[in-house]
Structures are given as structure tokens and as C-alpha cells.
Amino acid sequence: MTSHPVKCPHGSLKMFTLGRSRWLWYLCLCAVLPGSFCLLATGMLFPRESSSREVKDLSGLWSFRADKSPNRNQGFEKAWYKSRLAETGPVIDMAVPASFNDITQDPKLRDFIGWVWYEREVLVPSRWVTDEGTRVVLRVGSAHYYSVVWVNGVKVTEHNGGHLPFEAEIGSVIRADPKSPCRITIAVNNTLTLETLPPGTIQYFNDPTKYPDGFFVQNTNFDFFNYAGIHRPVLLYTTPKVYIDDITVVTDFLDSTGFVKYKISIQNAVEAPIKVTLMDKNRHCVASSNKSSGVLKFTDVQLWWPYLMHDNPAYLYSLEVHLMAADERSTYGDIYTVPVGIRTVHVTSTQFLINNKPFYFHGVNKHEDSDIRGKGFDWSLIVKDFNLLKWLGANSFRTSHYPYAEEILQMCDRHGIVVIDECPGVGIKDIRSFGNTSLAHHLDVMDELVRRDKNHPSVVMWSVANEPAAEMPPAEVYFKTLITHTKTLDVTRPVTYITDSNYARDRGAPYVDVICVNSYFSWYHDPGHLDVIPIQLNTQFENWYGKYQKPIIQSEYGADTVPGLHSDPPMMFTEEYQNVVLQSYHNVFDQKRKKYVVGELIWNFADFMTTQGVTRVVGNKKGVFSRQRQPKAAAFILKERYWKLANETGKIPFWTKYPCGLV
Ligand code: BDP
């Protein structure tokens, strides 16, 4: 029997924190690369094919088994990873990527808490196995929440956190057994604790007159279903032995001159000849260098502009890095290309500036959520959502309440959709979640998030949390540390945390660059009383601005609406009520955006699933689109407003002026 660390009744869940010696490392890197990023020891470049790199996508059918044993630990006790999963007991087909919850008809699996086991056998191209100069990397885009990974029964990695990628080099393991197919086993545990992000607790109910034996629930303080499983693609990819491990890019411009400050890290060689080429859209070289860090300077810069702010938005250059290296036996080359958008972000006391021009966020909050697949990655859904965003005239969204798939950020870069990139710091309401272990994990998650997303021009701000109980005394030090650390990681982007309308929750506010406020006047406060909105919203803005003199984004507002439910005069839950809530908020935004309000993000883009409860009728219904992406009446109100705002504040290209094919 293989023991697994830290026993807890709902399965073993090991939490690890990395040593604080990393601080020293940050300081060293900052010294050599002032004004740039300080990151984890290795990179996390998105796996892209190139002439030196191959990618094999393992999306599709996997074998699956939930460990339904009382302590959820049988899989470890019986070492399910040592043989084929089907040999350990009954398995079912499972789609990857997808949440496992809504795939079967089994209510116990839908609400399952504990370890689930995935397995897939892969035929690896023989060259990958025979060529010792090839690194073979296994990468999981994300799995919720805690994962342990084995290849052919050998543990290759584990990862703490549900929304960011992790990987392991597996070449030596598959070479040890070159004849058999490569068996990948991934155990995933969705148990949340006071120290996870988001936090949660397990509560047992032991009264036999009321509850079955072993009955327990997972309590959380966030408003979305805790979907679980392997949510993003699992890939195998190769690189040469000496390889480009990370690329960091920071951009700037002065008049028509563009600047790309870059730093490349390589692995398995102290140094190697390098060629860096910056190419425009037509693949013409605009600047080049043979140094691993430096500044590329070039003329006639084409800036990256948000959608609807310019008639040529989302211009992307390509930074091609070509590494040449040789050992005693052969010459290796590695090529990696990263898209680069040249843009700057600055914040004044009243404005949010992109490329030195005032930017007004007219956008949405989203969730990764849809029927059947839950939080599973799905290209059809992503393309549909981007079409809806553009139809709406939205220029931005917030990744409420966790980092979204990298492929989504790539779409944002390509379409000019501006992103507030949020970490999974949601539902931090218990004072015990402000302790050192929680903080250390939160810092680690920010490290991983910034490392993954630092090069996306679409990402203009980091959000470290949503509606934490920041009125609690430990919140001050917690958020000061977290925000200061995030600014150290990335000096080029502002940082915020999202507060609700409870003013006492402002202990972190002195450290943020932009105040982001969620409020639900006439919904959670004074339900049914639409006439309070103008007064209460005005008071909200004046209070926050009066106290902090920082620009403000209305980061959430809205009302639950059952599509097809009508009433006049408007009543809660009807389409008419949602319309009036939006319009009443909009009237106040129009007064305040002349002063210091720099954005409005509706809650929510689409209806989404939540845990069951008396306030949720099969999920949260505050979407302006249904969960199936059909518009409610409010979508048309929002669309009219967003296109009007774009006309006023941006420069709408002729071809997008009539997005519904009216031309
Ligand atoms: C806000 C939360 C969001 C909820 C929303 C609501 O930030 O996650 O879904 O309320 O209740 O306070 O609809």
C-alpha cells in the first residue's frame, strides 16, 4: 500500500507551499530586469507547434472511476495507478475536457466530493521515445482542484489549484518501458478547504435520526457550482533538450516608435546562440537581435487597440525566438513564436488609459459554464460567446471568478477584447482563510497566473479576489501583501480586488489602483424597490471616490430574470424588471462617467449553474443571455447602450457599425 500524505475523511489532500526562499530569487531577477516581471523558476509557455515542437492532443474518451469508498481513499490504498484502471474495478467513459458532474444520470456523481480517477493509454510516436534529444512533456490545461499524475505507474507530478496549467517531463518514464503504450493516470480531488482558492469546508452530520451514515456536505461561500474534473485539454508536446523555457515581453511606444522589451530564458544550457525576430502581420521583419534579453526598437508602430476603439483593433506582431544549441552528438534548434500586441496601460485618479487614451469598460462578467460540459473547455461555446460579445458591442470582460482557459485569452488578443484577469480568490469569508497558509497559497496562485498570462495584450488588470470579507482585521495585512506582491510580479499592470457595496470591506482598498464595486440595489438590498437605485448608486460612487480618489468600475450589477417571464409594472424575476434595473444603473453611470467612473460590467453575460438553494432556480439567472446563449430582453438594451458608448468613446470601423448584417 502506498501511503498518501495528510489523511482527511473525504480523501487525502496534500497542501504544499513553496519555500519563501523564492523571495530572494525575485529580488535577484528584479535587479537584472528592472521594470519587468519576477516569476517562478520555470516558464509555462502555451504549447505551440513549430518546426522544433510537436503537440499531441489527448482530448477525447478517458476511462473514469470515482472513488466512492467511505474515506475516498481506496484508490491510494489499493494503488489504482499501478495497473490499468479497468483492472481495479468498474470504469465508465468520460469526456476530457469536461466536468464529470453532468455527464451521467447518477446524482451521486453529480454531487461527488473526493478523488476521481482518469486514465488514458496513448501511443507515443516512436521518434519521441528513441530520440534522447527530445523532451516529452505532459501538460494539463487545468483540473479541479488537486491533482496527482502518474505515467506507467510512476508519479510524475502533483498540483494544487483548479484553474491553472501544470506539466511534467515524462521522457525518462516512457523510455524506461518503450514497448508498452504510455498509460496516463490522473487522480483529481475537488475537496475545498479553508486554505484552497476558493475556500470551502466539509461538514459532517452525525444524527442517525436525520441523516444516513457518513452524510456530509461541502460548504462554500461562492455562487457557482463547484464543477470538477479535467477541465482543459491534456496535451503531450515535445521540445528539444535545450529549449526556450520562457519569454517575457513588455511593450511601450513613443510617437511612432515601438519598443519591445523582452527576456528569454533557456533550459539545459548556460547560453546558446539565439536569434530574435519581431515580425509584422505580413511576416516582414521589423526588428531583430541576437541577445537573450534587450529592447527591440522599430518605427511606424501599429498599436494594439481594443475592439471598437480604433478602426484597426487588435494588431498583433509575432516575436519569433530561434535558439541554436549543440552537444557532442548533435545540433538542436528550438523555435517558439509569441504574439505581441504593443500597448500601454496607465491609471490616473479619474481615468483608465490604454495607449494614453481614456478607455471605458463596457462589458460583461462571465463564467466558464454551459450545459452538459459544465466548466469543460469547448471551442464551439467559445466562438459563440465571442460572436455574442461582438454583437453586444462589449469591449471587455472580467474572468469572474477564476482564470479562464488560455485559448480564451488568445481570442481576446486577436479580437481586441480587454480582460480583467481574476484569480480564484472568491468566497474568502472565514477569518481562518486569512492565515499564513492561505496567504502563501494565494501568492503562489498569483505567481502562476502572472507567469501564464503576462504576455497577453488583452489583459490590462489583475484582480486578486472577489468580495472577500475585507472588513476583518487580518485582511489589511493579507491584501497589502498580496497586492504589493502582484505589483512586484508585474509593474506594468494595475491591480484590484473586487469589493461589494459594504463600505466596511475596504481594508485592502488603499493598495488597489482601481476601485471595483459590485452592488445589487433593488435586488439584495430593498428588493422590488427600483426607485432606490439612483440615490443608492450615487451615494456608492460619491463615497468611494470621496475616500480614495481612484477611478471606479462598476464591476457587477444586475437582476435574476427567468426568460419569458413578464409583468407590467415590472416585478422581480421578469424581463421587464431586469430592463429597468439596467436602465436605472445606466442613467447614473452616464453622470459619473464624465467624472471618475471608468467602466460597467453587467452581472452576468449568461445564466450559470450554482449549488442548489432556495434563492436559485436551477442556477443563477442574472444572465442577459440564457445558459443556452439566447438573448433576454435586457441583451437588446445592453446592445443599444454599448454601441452608443462605442460611438461616443471609440472609433467604430465602418464594417462593424452595423453588426447585425443591416448594411
Ligand atoms: C455577487 C457575486 C457573484 C454572484 C452575484 C449574485 O460576486 O459571484 O453570482 O453576487 O448573487 O455578489 O448573483
Side-chain angles (χ1 to χ4, degrees):
M1 186 183 100
T2 307
S3 72
H4 196 252
V6 190
K7 286 264 159 41
C8 54
H10 46 282
S12 303
L13 188 57
K14 182 192 163 205
M15 294 298 154
F16 63 87
T17 54
L18 298 174
R20 291 291 100 195
S21 61
R22 190 191 299 159
W23 285 101
L24 200 62
W25 190 85
Y26 291 141
L27 293 176
C28 300
L29 184 62
C30 288
V32 293
L33 193 65
S36 191
F37 299 85
C38 315
L39 292 163
L40 293 160
T42 57
M44 192 52 75
L45 290 175
F46 184 77
R48 291 176 194 279
E49 286 179 325
S50 74
S51 54
S52 63
R53 293 173 175 233
E54 289 162 77
V55 177
K56 191 174 166 74
D57 189 341
L58 307 184
S59 299
L61 283 184
W62 288 54
S63 296
F64 177 90
R65 185 172 179 198
D67 184 344
K68 292 185 177 164
S69 62
N71 69 357
R72 301 290 194 257
N73 221 26
Q74 196 186 77
F76 287 95
E77 286 160 10
K78 300 242 163 95
W80 287 357
Y81 50 87
K82 280 203 172 150
S83 58
R84 293 182 60 227
L85 200 54
E87 287 164 26
T88 70
V91 295
I92 58 169
D93 285 345
M94 186 51 69
V96 170
S99 302
F100 61 74
N101 311 76
D102 290 348
I103 297 286
T104 74
Q105 301 309 105
D106 179 358
K108 289 221 161 69
L109 186 59
R110 182 195 144 85
D111 295 322
F112 185 80
I113 296 164
W115 290 104
V116 295
W117 293 70
Y118 288 78
E119 182 206 74
R120 162 98 195 242
E121 283 191 346
V122 190
L123 291 173
V124 179
S126 59
R127 192 194 61 76
W128 294 14
V129 183
T130 49
D131 180 2
E132 299 259 345
T134 293
R135 283 176 70 242
V136 182
V137 183
L138 171 64
R139 173 176 174 120
V140 180
S142 77
H144 190 73
Y145 180 87
Y146 193 95
S147 308
V148 186
V149 185
W150 297 262
V151 172
N152 296 340
V154 177
K155 185 169 140 193
V156 293
T157 192
E158 54 190 291
H159 184 254
N160 181 20
H163 310 86
L164 288 163
F166 53 96
E167 51 183 44
E169 201 177 323
I170 62 165
S172 58
V173 182
I174 54 178
R175 279 177 201 124
D177 193 3
K179 291 262 174 337
S180 48
C182 161
R183 180 167 40 83
I184 300 169
T185 313
I186 306 180
V188 186
N189 193 328
N190 61 352
T191 307
L192 302 176
T193 72
L194 288 164
E195 279 111 25
T196 55
L197 282 183
T201 50
I202 299 289
Q203 188 180 1
Y204 278 88
F205 293 81
N206 297 323
D207 180 348
T209 65
K210 287 187 175 166
Y211 300 100
D213 191 30
F215 185 88
F216 69 91
V217 295
Q218 174 150 281
N219 297 313
T220 58
N221 277 308
F222 54 85
D223 182 34
F224 51 92
F225 190 74
N226 189 36
Y227 277 114
I230 302 180
H231 281 156
R232 297 184 191 148
V234 181
L235 307 173
L236 285 178
Y237 73 92
T238 65
T239 74
K241 197 156 116 194
V242 177
Y243 65 99
I244 301 156
D245 176 52
D246 201 11
I247 302 172
T248 304
V249 165
V250 177
T251 66
D252 202 354
F253 67 96
L254 185 64
D255 302 324
S256 64
T257 305
F259 302 96
V260 174
K261 184 175 181 181
Y262 68 94
K263 178 169 175 14
I264 295 151
S265 22
I266 58 174
Q267 286 285 350
N268 295 337
V270 181
E271 59 182 58
I274 214 162
K275 177 93 199 272
V276 182
T277 313
L278 186 69
M279 289 176 296
D280 66 15
K281 252 191 170 150
N282 302 318
R283 295 193 57 81
H284 293 143
C285 167
V286 297
S288 64
S289 158
N290 53 12
K291 298 215 166 61
S292 61
S293 63
V295 181
L296 298 170
K297 183 176 163 192
F298 56 101
T299 53
D300 296 328
V301 62
Q302 300 254 29
L303 299 179
W304 185 94
W305 288 100
Y307 174 55
L308 302 179
M309 201 176 172
H310 192 267
D311 43 17
N312 188 13
Y315 191 95
L316 292 175
Y317 291 83
S318 304
L319 188 77
E320 185 179 281
V321 179
H322 192 164
L323 179 78
M324 297 304 299
D327 66 11
E328 56 288 349
R329 276 184 292 153
S330 54
T331 304
Y332 311 105
D334 192 17
I335 297 185
Y336 190 91
T337 303
V338 62
V340 175
I342 317 289
R343 62 110 188 84
T344 58
V345 176
H346 295 107
V347 170
T348 71
S349 61
T350 55
Q351 289 175 315
F352 196 98
L353 302 170
I354 296 187
N355 299 337
N356 302 327
K357 296 246 164 62
F359 176 74
Y360 187 78
F361 295 77
H362 43 90
V364 305
N365 291 276
K366 288 184 96 269
H367 264 297
E368 288 182 316
D369 176 272
S370 70
D371 285 333
I372 302 172
R373 44 193 75 57
K375 293 201 176 301
F377 178 88
D378 176 20
W379 272 121
S380 317
L381 181 75
I382 293 171
V383 176
K384 177 71 176 175
D385 281 4
F386 273 79
N387 285 331
L388 290 177
L389 286 171
K390 292 185 126 181
W391 176 87
L392 211 51
N395 63 4
S396 50
F397 66 78
R398 169 162 75 109
T399 69
S400 42
H401 294 303
Y402 37 80
Y404 293 177
E406 293 164 273
E407 291 86 341
I408 296 177
L409 296 181
Q410 290 163 5
M411 287 283 278
C412 291
D413 293 344
R414 291 180 40 242
H415 290 274
I417 302 294
V418 166
V419 176
I420 300 172
D421 203 351
E422 186 155 292
C423 91
V426 56
I428 308 178
K429 306 283 192 194
D430 188 308
I431 197 153
R432 292 168 294 174
S433 292
F434 286 103
N436 287 341
T437 313
S438 296
L439 178 58
H441 179 56
H442 209 145
L443 293 169
D444 288 341
V445 172
M446 287 314 299
D447 290 351
E448 288 183 28
L449 177 62
V450 175
R451 171 176 68 169
R452 192 194 71 163
D453 293 348
K454 62 189 169 173
N455 292 331
H456 288 287
S458 55
V459 174
V460 300
M461 180 154 67
W462 306 110
S463 161
V464 298
N466 178 69
E467 297 185 357
E471 74 279 18
M472 294 181 176
E476 167 122 28
V477 173
Y478 189 97
F479 282 104
K480 184 176 179 192
T481 312
L482 191 57
I483 293 167
T484 314
H485 176 72
T486 308
K487 290 186 184 187
T488 318
L489 294 173
D490 177 5
V491 300
T492 71
R493 289 179 179 91
V495 182
T496 191
Y497 79 87
I498 316 286
T499 182
D500 59 24
S501 52
N502 178 347
Y503 300 113
R505 297 198 165 151
D506 72 339
R507 284 184 195 262
Y511 310 104
V512 303
D513 298 303
V514 175
I515 304 279
C516 289
V517 194
N518 301 342
S519 57
Y520 289 89
F521 305 127
S522 89
W523 192 261
Y524 294 122
H525 308 276
D526 305 296
H529 296 286
L530 291 161
D531 46 346
V532 304
I533 294 175
I535 302 175
Q536 296 191 0
L537 191 55
N538 185 65
T539 307
Q540 165 197 288
F541 285 138
E542 290 298 303
N543 281 355
W544 280 102
Y545 191 75
K547 186 153 181 199
Y548 290 106
Q549 285 92 50
K550 293 178 184 182
I552 304 179
I553 294 174
Q554 181 74 38
S555 39
E556 283 181 32
Y557 68 105
D560 280 271
T561 306
V562 179
L565 210 56
H566 297 284
S567 78
D568 185 60
M571 285 175 70
M572 292 176 79
F573 295 98
T574 65
E575 298 206 23
E576 288 75 13
Y577 195 89
Q578 189 182 32
N579 285 352
V580 180
V581 168
L582 267 54
Q583 284 163 327
S584 310
Y585 266 80
H586 296 163
N587 291 340
V588 181
F589 296 157
D590 281 339
Q591 294 154 27
K592 301 298 176 190
R593 73 190 165 86
K594 298 186 189 111
K595 301 178 175 168
Y596 48 75
V597 169
V598 297
E600 51 188 87
L601 304 175
I602 187 80
W603 190 263
N604 188 284
F605 171 74
D607 293 348
F608 57 91
M609 194 46 70
T610 62
T611 40
Q612 300 183 60
V614 290
T615 61
R616 297 287 176 255
V617 187
V618 194
N620 186 308
K621 295 273 185 286
K622 294 195 185 69
V624 294
F625 296 101
S626 67
R627 200 183 192 207
Q628 295 71 32
R629 274 46 179 183
Q630 295 306 322
K632 302 179 191 172
F636 295 94
I637 295 213
L638 212 59
K639 172 170 172 268
E640 197 180 322
R641 174 169 178 79
Y642 283 1
W643 283 96
K644 195 176 105 221
L645 284 169
N647 263 313
E648 274 175 37
T649 59
K651 191 170 177 193
I652 304 185
F654 170 75
W655 47 268
T656 51
K657 246 183 198 156
Y658 303 100
C660 329
L662 295 178
V663 191

